[in-house]
Amino acid sequence: MVEYGVPKSWWPWLGAAKAAGAVGLLVGLAVPAIGVAAGIGLVVYFFGAVVTVLRARSHKTVVFPVLYLAPVVATLLLGLN
């Protein structure tokens, strides 16, 4: 994340956001509305990661956040149906 210009002070918050999203998806198995909210949050998180990588002009590594974004989008779409 240093290469992409993400301040170190953001790292714990970003980690907490990702962990909360994962927990939210698990809770969403019992409470679908929480799962949908967690899915939306994770889509925003990983979309932000894609934008951050592209802004850093690291086009060779943009595939990695996209690989994380794709299953989250699929999970969200399944949760909405």
Side-chain angles (χ1 to χ4, degrees):
M1 291 197 312
V2 171
E3 295 175 17
Y4 305 134
V6 178
K8 285 189 177 184
S9 63
W10 291 15
W11 294 8
W13 296 107
L14 293 171
K18 192 172 10 173
V23 170
L25 289 178
L26 290 175
V27 172
L29 295 171
V31 184
I34 292 177
V36 170
I40 292 168
L42 286 171
V43 166
V44 170
Y45 178 91
F46 287 115
F47 182 76
V50 170
V51 170
T52 300
V53 171
L54 290 174
R55 287 187 65 205
R57 301 190 194 288
S58 183
H59 302 287
K60 291 180 182 177
T61 61
V62 76
V63 68
F64 298 113
V66 170
L67 287 175
Y68 288 111
L69 177 62
V72 174
V73 169
T75 302
L76 178 60
L77 292 175
L78 289 173
L80 291 174
N81 289 331

